[in-house]
Amino acid sequence: MKMARNITPREKDYSQWYLDVIKAAEMADYAPVRGCMVIRPTGYAIWESIQSQLDERFKETGHVNAYFPLLIPSSFLEKEAKHVEGFSPECAVVTYAGGEELEEPLVIRPTSETVIGHMYSKWIQSWRDLPILINQWCNVLRWEKRPRLFLRTSEFLWQEGHTAHATREEALEETLRMLEVYRSFMEEVLALPVLTGEKSEGERFPGAENTYTCEAMMTDKRALQAGTSHFLGQNFAKAFDIRFQNKDGELEYAWTTSWGVSTRLIGAIIMTHADNDGLVLPPNVAPVKTVILPITPDQNLLQEKILPEAQKILERLKKILGANRVILDTQFHMRPGDRFFYHLQKGVPLRLELGEAEMKSSHLRAVRRDTGEVVNISFDAIEREVPRLLENIQNTLYRRARSFREENTYLVTSFEEFNEVLNKKGGFIKAYFAGSPEDEKTIKEATTATIRCFLLNEPTEGTCFYTKKKGGKLAVFAKAY
Amino acid sequence: MKMARNITPREKDYSQWYLDVIKAAEMADYAPVRGCMVIRPTGYAIWESIQSQLDERFKETGHVNAYFPLLIPSSFLEKEAKHVEGFSPECAVVTYAGGEELEEPLVIRPTSETVIGHMYSKWIQSWRDLPILINQWCNVLRWEKRPRLFLRTSEFLWQEGHTAHATREEALEETLRMLEVYRSFMEEVLALPVLTGEKSEGERFPGAENTYTCEAMMTDKRALQAGTSHFLGQNFAKAFDIRFQNKDGELEYAWTTSWGVSTRLIGAIIMTHADNDGLVLPPNVAPVKTVILPITPDQNLLQEKILPEAQKILERLKKILGANRVILDTQFHMRPGDRFFYHLQKGVPLRLELGEAEMKSSHLRAVRRDTGEVVNISFDAIEREVPRLLENIQNTLYRRARSFREENTYLVTSFEEFNEVLNKKGGFIKAYFAGSPEDEKTIKEATTATIRCFLLNEPTEGTCFYTKKKGGKLAVFAKAY
Ligand SMILES: [Zn+2]
Ligand SMILES: [Zn+2]
């Protein structure tokens, strides 16, 4: 395989490699407004695939979609003290509209807890109105001074779930249910192994009582927060007066949650699976799962034999993979090598070549994007073998990523060891921690590493690596995006 | 059938009736920001249904989706003279972001021709890069002083297609192709009969060479512009320098189009099909096509016989209508009449009742939302009869709306007759017109009626009803939303 000349090797310059992969696949561009991006068709198709599959999982867990306004009165943000402190520095503010200066400035939503809280207070009267299980797909804006495509952009696309419940238990259950929806989606669809856990106080969503997170390791060994689910307690219910009459006729504040994932997931896919040739997409999220390439210099053979056979195979594969999930490449003005590279750099998981030799032996030459491995598939066996190969690619990508994370995760018991691992090896550091928020801050300032989460399902306690106190909980530290 | 007490009769106050229908179905609310709306789950599910079915038609005609930024530098708008004149008075302007005053104010997109033009000029170099066939689903903002839910709101959801072509003919073909996609979608899915035609100069999209439109008649006999497709000529290509090298190696400006429909379509559905009991949804767009209502005061019978049978029927119907397209009502704390009304006011096309009598005779009692007619369906025949009934409802709604339009359309040959029809009857007025834009303006000022369009496929010419000149083209005039 020739080397991709348009992509800087990952080992040489990871940031440049990341941008080169995006450019080669035509996934996104910077927009003329600083910090904003244009998501091009190749990138947007991945978002559509994420969106439709997540949406199905949201609906299966009883959620419905709705749409709340883009603009929020600036006074709304101020109703929850930590919320305004967290978000107002990042806000974009509309001061003129319809040719006039506005009496009250409007903020472009950085997230919608406030305006949704305001509406919920109108919609909820009785316990019969609960739970409310609403999700919204939309754009949000948080002004970004050091933008990076998909990972940190001023405007991004996301979904934000907002639910209201009659009891604390029910709201907490919802928070963890959605964390699990995210985890299983990321692992099963994006082939993205994630650790789930609870954020430390300093890393919580502004206004939340608890924030749960899915943390993934990128191929540069840094952590990426891939999705979060927040238990908001009664904080927003109190700020926005969301009250209901319970079964005994008494007024109570509701318990709320919120949870979201964004176009950042596309960045996570790139930094988990892509290689020095470009994008690699797990089949379950790939908009195009396979491409059929008829190749021959012989125009007669092409028109009379190869193309008709390719068309037949296309129709057969459409039936099992879905109408838009398989394409036939007819870019005959390009050289074969360029045609290979075109799909390879767009991350298509499987390439099916059909030339003179293949016609003679009634086989397709299948080339895997993940390993480069070549497999011959008999025309008869297409319906069985193509899905089987795709499943194998999916599993291989997941296992490869999980092994990489495991190989780069270390348990440490002292701050000395912590520093050694961080400086010499990088990766995830597991350690029992019982320090204060102040200790956490000191560690961050000294090392740039942060607590990614306290692991869920790790009931053991141990001696704190930093304070040497008993009763430390198992935390994962890492340098993060 | 009891009268809906929560809905003002249409004959008494059409505007109030419209709002009452929306409120009773819980489709939308005004947001705390003036002119903006919250689309509630019932309303949003209709938008999702519109979106998925239109998107399929866009993809079948070769289009792909992408996402362009919300914020546009204000200088961009100024590059096309008519465009800035048309849109800048309606714009919302961001002057602060990230805690600082911006050097250049940013406008929230009222439409995206400018920023997309800017990107196309970077993406297009050669004739091989053409055509570009991109669509975007997003929110836009046009400041509205007299808002009306779904019809005129400051923020609304829509899709905007933007294409670039090598030749004038190809771009014109695309403009008309998308007009036809809109027409067939509106007629087949929304049961919305529309007239298609060309806008007069005064009613064109700012910056377009030609605007084509789908015009529907609402039940108050006023016209509603339901979708438009614009041939932009080379205006935006020149303003944003979209040039390509043709096959002879010469630089040429591209030819562009744009086309859009919005959440306004939901307003059109209401004002075409809803009645004094509330919303009526055509089955092809209805998120819930049918509801099964187990009804009996006998708790034993309910638990032991009726509910298990209802569950079985639910599963059978899910298989043929889709998993989320049929629901089972278990709101047993409500009175039967309230349960009927609940679904009726949400517009569910068909109600399937199952009580003691129905169990005995092994029939469902099916009640049509469009006519109130009752049909008995044998348990054995559910798979055949339910889809047949739904199809019949769809056709009935379409034919009813078309008849209404035809009964309220008049051909006039003089301005006197024009005024008489407009004042005494209302509706659509067909008339040959050869007047100037100035004449059109005078007619509008005198009557508030406007040219909705010059009809496509009407090659005949006639004497102008207003100027008495020869060579008039057949126009449709009406008072409009
Ligand atoms: Zn409020
Ligand atoms: Zn430009």
Side-chain angles (χ1 to χ4, degrees):
Chain A
M1 175 60 63
K2 70 172 179 180
M3 282 279 289
R5 296 231 177 84
N6 53 348
I7 294 178
T8 306
R10 196 159 66 179
E11 306 71 32
K12 199 176 155 197
D13 181 345
Y14 198 83
S15 296
Q16 192 56 50
W17 164 80
Y18 178 76
L19 290 176
D20 289 347
V21 168
I22 291 173
K23 197 175 175 196
E26 300 189 332
M27 297 171 84
D29 257 357
Y30 283 109
V33 170
R34 185 162 168 71
C36 293
M37 77 177 151
V38 172
I39 308 179
R40 301 185 68 172
T42 312
Y44 197 80
I46 299 171
W47 183 239
E48 284 180 299
S49 173
I50 289 173
Q51 207 173 1
S52 69
Q53 295 185 75
L54 257 184
D55 200 68
E56 203 181 316
R57 288 168 192 241
F58 294 160
K59 283 177 178 154
E60 277 166 7
T61 44
H63 302 83
V64 289
N65 290 328
Y67 188 76
F68 295 87
L70 174 75
L71 298 177
I72 299 177
S74 55
S75 60
F76 274 38
L77 245 65
E78 287 152 25
K79 291 196 181 180
E80 215 290 336
K82 286 187 181 157
H83 197 71
V84 66
E85 199 187 302
F87 284 110
S88 67
E90 301 177 349
C91 283
V93 189
V94 175
T95 53
Y96 284 84
E100 286 172 18
E101 189 166 1
L102 294 171
E103 281 180 25
E104 182 181 4
L106 300 171
V107 159
I108 298 180
R109 63 182 162 220
T111 178
S112 305
E113 278 74 10
T114 59
V115 67
I116 293 180
H118 173 82
M119 298 311 296
Y120 280 8
S121 76
K122 293 167 179 267
W123 296 345
I124 296 168
Q125 269 99 45
S126 135
W127 63 274
R128 285 205 188 279
D129 301 324
L130 296 172
I132 292 196
L133 305 172
I134 287 181
N135 175 62
Q136 153 165 282
W137 292 96
C138 67
N139 53 346
V140 286
L141 206 134
R142 300 175 187 178
W143 207 252
E144 188 55 67
K145 287 185 174 151
R146 291 166 304 122
R148 199 148 186 214
L149 291 174
F150 293 118
L151 298 179
R152 271 196 315 268
T153 50
S154 293
E155 184 191 10
F156 55 88
L157 303 182
W158 81 342
Q159 60 66 218
E160 46 180 324
H162 294 269
T163 69
H165 306 263
T167 66
R168 179 185 179 88
E169 293 65 43
E170 217 188 273
L172 205 47
E173 219 171 79
E174 166 79 6
T175 311
L176 292 170
R177 179 183 304 120
M178 299 323 290
L179 185 73
E180 174 57 19
V181 165
Y182 288 156
R183 187 205 60 75
S184 60
F185 169 78
M186 290 173 193
E187 300 207 334
E188 293 163 13
V189 178
L190 309 185
L192 204 66
V194 292
L195 297 175
T196 54
E198 201 177 319
K199 285 283 179 192
S200 64
E201 198 185 316
E203 300 274 331
R204 261 178 221 149
F205 176 79
E209 211 168 285
N210 265 310
T211 286
Y212 297 90
T213 181
C214 295
E215 299 282 328
M217 183 187 286
M218 303 296 97
T219 42
D220 65 351
K221 303 183 196 168
R222 289 172 72 182
L224 185 124
Q225 177 179 303
T228 46
S229 185
H230 314 295
F231 173 63
L232 304 175
Q234 294 183 314
N235 294 343
F236 285 88
K238 284 178 180 161
F240 289 91
D241 201 34
I242 311 174
R243 284 192 290 181
F244 68 98
Q245 205 157 35
N246 67 20
K247 288 184 190 179
D248 303 323
E250 293 149 3
L251 270 184
E252 281 188 53
Y253 286 109
W255 300 83
T256 68
T257 83
S258 69
W259 27 275
V261 301
S262 73
T263 34
R264 177 169 241 225
L265 284 176
I266 299 173
I269 294 170
I270 298 169
M271 293 198 295
T272 302
H273 303 301
D275 61 22
N276 282 343
D277 285 330
L279 186 61
V280 178
L281 288 173
N284 291 352
V285 73
V288 173
K289 296 184 198 308
T290 185
V291 54
I292 304 164
L293 280 114
I295 302 167
T296 180
D298 182 338
Q299 280 303 310
N300 275 343
L301 184 70
L302 180 69
Q303 294 302 331
E304 281 163 31
K305 293 271 173 72
I306 296 184
L307 262 182
E309 186 63 47
Q311 276 290 355
K312 261 194 264 174
I313 294 169
L314 177 70
E315 293 311 316
R316 288 167 64 187
L317 284 174
K318 276 184 175 181
K319 265 185 208 141
I320 52 166
L321 300 178
N324 300 312
R325 302 288 162 253
V326 48
I327 56 172
L328 174 61
D329 177 294
T330 55
Q331 302 177 90
F332 299 119
H333 63 280
M334 285 162 63
R335 283 175 307 188
D338 291 341
R339 289 167 68 200
F340 293 162
F341 241 61
Y342 177 88
H343 300 287
L344 191 148
Q345 297 212 313
K346 285 193 150 62
V348 179
L350 190 65
R351 181 169 89 230
L352 301 170
E353 300 174 12
L354 187 58
E356 191 170 353
E358 287 75 28
M359 284 302 290
K360 271 192 187 139
S361 64
S362 297
H363 278 73
L364 284 169
R365 186 172 186 271
V367 187
R368 292 173 63 143
R369 177 64 184 91
D370 59 334
T371 58
E373 214 179 318
V374 177
V375 186
N376 288 317
I377 301 177
S378 157
F379 288 175
D380 297 340
I382 285 171
E383 279 83 359
R384 191 182 67 232
E385 292 302 322
V386 170
R388 223 173 58 92
L389 257 179
L390 290 172
E391 199 187 325
N392 193 298
I393 294 169
Q394 180 78 25
N395 294 337
T396 302
L397 287 171
Y398 176 76
R399 278 200 307 268
R400 188 195 279 175
R402 204 182 47 187
S403 299
F404 182 79
R405 185 188 71 196
E406 282 163 11
E407 285 158 17
N408 291 288
T409 300
Y410 306 90
L411 183 71
V412 309
T413 54
S414 70
F415 192 46
E416 195 194 338
E417 216 184 329
F418 183 100
N419 276 306
E420 215 176 274
V421 169
L422 204 64
N423 296 331
K424 295 202 181 138
K425 297 172 174 165
F428 283 3
I429 302 181
K430 284 188 186 180
Y432 288 101
F433 185 66
S436 64
E438 191 51 45
D439 292 331
E440 197 187 328
K441 221 172 144 188
T442 312
I443 295 170
K444 183 179 175 176
E445 277 160 13
T447 67
T448 76
T450 49
I451 299 184
R452 303 317 304 152
C453 61
F454 290 102
L455 290 170
L456 283 185
N457 313 318
E458 286 283 354
T460 59
E461 296 195 339
T463 306
C464 175
F465 83 102
Y466 188 71
T467 62
K468 302 299 175 193
K469 280 188 217 156
K470 297 275 175 209
K473 289 193 294 171
L474 194 57
V476 174
F477 288 80
K479 297 185 184 182
Y481 279 95
Chain B
M1 176 57 65
K2 69 172 179 179
M3 282 280 288
R5 296 232 179 84
N6 54 347
I7 294 177
T8 306
R10 195 160 66 179
E11 306 71 30
K12 201 177 154 194
D13 183 343
Y14 199 84
S15 297
Q16 192 55 50
W17 165 81
Y18 177 76
L19 290 176
D20 290 347
V21 168
I22 291 172
K23 198 175 173 196
E26 301 189 330
M27 297 171 84
D29 257 357
Y30 283 109
V33 169
R34 187 164 166 70
C36 293
M37 77 177 152
V38 172
I39 308 179
R40 300 185 68 173
T42 313
Y44 197 80
I46 300 170
W47 183 240
E48 284 180 298
S49 173
I50 289 173
Q51 206 172 1
S52 68
Q53 295 185 73
L54 257 183
D55 199 69
E56 203 183 315
R57 288 168 192 242
F58 294 160
K59 282 175 178 157
E60 277 166 8
T61 45
H63 302 84
V64 289
N65 290 328
Y67 187 77
F68 295 87
L70 174 75
L71 298 177
I72 300 176
S74 55
S75 59
F76 274 39
L77 245 65
E78 287 151 25
K79 291 196 182 179
E80 214 291 333
K82 285 187 182 157
H83 197 70
V84 67
E85 200 185 303
F87 284 110
S88 67
E90 301 177 351
C91 282
V93 188
V94 175
T95 53
Y96 284 84
E100 284 172 18
E101 189 164 359
L102 294 171
E103 280 180 28
E104 182 181 4
L106 301 171
V107 159
I108 297 180
R109 62 182 162 221
T111 178
S112 305
E113 278 75 10
T114 58
V115 67
I116 293 180
H118 173 83
M119 298 310 296
Y120 281 7
S121 76
K122 294 168 179 266
W123 296 344
I124 296 168
Q125 268 101 44
S126 134
W127 63 273
R128 284 204 188 279
D129 300 323
L130 296 173
I132 291 196
L133 305 171
I134 287 181
N135 175 62
Q136 154 165 280
W137 292 95
C138 67
N139 53 345
V140 287
L141 206 134
R142 300 174 187 177
W143 207 251
E144 188 55 67
K145 285 183 180 157
R146 291 166 304 121
R148 199 146 187 216
L149 292 173
F150 293 118
L151 298 179
R152 272 196 315 269
T153 49
S154 294
E155 184 190 11
F156 56 88
L157 303 182
W158 80 342
Q159 59 68 218
E160 47 180 325
H162 294 270
T163 69
H165 306 263
T167 66
R168 178 183 179 89
E169 294 64 40
E170 217 188 273
L172 205 47
E173 218 172 79
E174 166 80 4
T175 311
L176 292 170
R177 178 184 304 118
M178 298 324 288
L179 185 74
E180 173 58 18
V181 166
Y182 287 156
R183 186 204 62 74
S184 60
F185 169 77
M186 290 173 194
E187 301 208 333
E188 293 162 14
V189 178
L190 310 183
L192 204 67
V194 293
L195 298 175
T196 54
E198 202 177 319
K199 285 282 179 193
S200 64
E201 198 186 319
E203 301 275 330
R204 259 178 222 151
F205 176 80
E209 210 168 287
N210 264 311
T211 286
Y212 296 90
T213 180
C214 296
E215 299 283 328
M217 183 187 286
M218 304 296 98
T219 42
D220 65 349
K221 302 181 195 169
R222 289 172 73 180
L224 185 126
Q225 178 179 302
T228 46
S229 185
H230 315 294
F231 173 64
L232 304 175
Q234 293 182 316
N235 294 343
F236 285 87
K238 284 179 180 161
F240 289 90
D241 201 32
I242 311 174
R243 284 194 288 183
F244 68 97
Q245 204 156 37
N246 67 19
K247 289 184 190 178
D248 304 323
E250 294 150 1
L251 269 184
E252 280 190 53
Y253 284 109
W255 300 83
T256 67
T257 83
S258 68
W259 28 275
V261 300
S262 73
T263 35
R264 176 169 242 227
L265 284 176
I266 299 174
I269 293 171
I270 298 169
M271 293 198 296
T272 302
H273 303 301
D275 61 22
N276 283 342
D277 285 330
L279 185 61
V280 178
L281 288 173
N284 291 353
V285 73
V288 173
K289 296 184 197 307
T290 185
V291 54
I292 305 165
L293 279 114
I295 302 168
T296 179
D298 182 339
Q299 280 302 311
N300 274 342
L301 184 70
L302 180 69
Q303 295 301 332
E304 281 162 32
K305 294 271 173 70
I306 297 184
L307 263 181
E309 186 62 48
Q311 278 289 356
K312 262 193 265 172
I313 294 169
L314 177 70
E315 293 310 317
R316 287 167 64 188
L317 284 174
K318 277 184 174 179
K319 267 186 207 140
I320 52 167
L321 300 178
N324 300 310
R325 300 289 163 250
V326 48
I327 56 171
L328 174 61
D329 176 294
T330 55
Q331 302 178 88
F332 298 119
H333 63 281
M334 285 163 63
R335 285 176 306 191
D338 291 342
R339 289 167 70 200
F340 293 162
F341 241 61
Y342 178 89
H343 301 287
L344 190 148
Q345 297 212 312
K346 285 192 149 63
V348 179
L350 191 65
R351 180 170 88 231
L352 300 170
E353 300 173 12
L354 186 58
E356 192 173 348
E358 287 76 27
M359 284 302 289
K360 273 193 186 138
S361 64
S362 296
H363 278 74
L364 285 169
R365 186 172 186 272
V367 186
R368 292 173 63 143
R369 177 65 184 91
D370 59 334
T371 57
E373 214 179 318
V374 177
V375 187
N376 289 317
I377 301 177
S378 158
F379 288 176
D380 299 340
I382 284 171
E383 280 82 358
R384 190 182 68 233
E385 292 304 320
V386 170
R388 224 175 55 92
L389 257 178
L390 290 171
E391 199 187 325
N392 194 299
I393 294 169
Q394 181 79 24
N395 294 337
T396 302
L397 287 171
Y398 176 75
R399 278 199 307 266
R400 191 194 278 175
R402 204 182 47 188
S403 299
F404 182 79
R405 185 188 72 196
E406 281 164 10
E407 284 158 17
N408 290 289
T409 300
Y410 306 90
L411 183 70
V412 309
T413 54
S414 71
F415 192 45
E416 196 194 337
E417 216 183 330
F418 182 98
N419 276 307
E420 215 174 273
V421 169
L422 204 62
N423 297 331
K424 295 201 182 143
K425 297 171 175 166
F428 283 4
I429 301 180
K430 286 188 183 178
Y432 289 101
F433 185 67
S436 64
E438 192 52 45
D439 292 331
E440 198 186 328
K441 220 171 144 188
T442 311
I443 295 170
K444 184 179 176 177
E445 277 160 13
T447 67
T448 75
T450 49
I451 300 182
R452 304 316 305 153
C453 62
F454 291 103
L455 290 170
L456 284 185
N457 313 318
E458 286 284 355
T460 59
E461 296 194 340
T463 306
C464 175
F465 82 102
Y466 188 72
T467 62
K468 302 300 173 191
K469 281 187 216 156
K470 297 275 175 208
K473 289 193 293 172
L474 195 55
V476 175
F477 287 80
K479 297 184 184 181
Y481 277 96

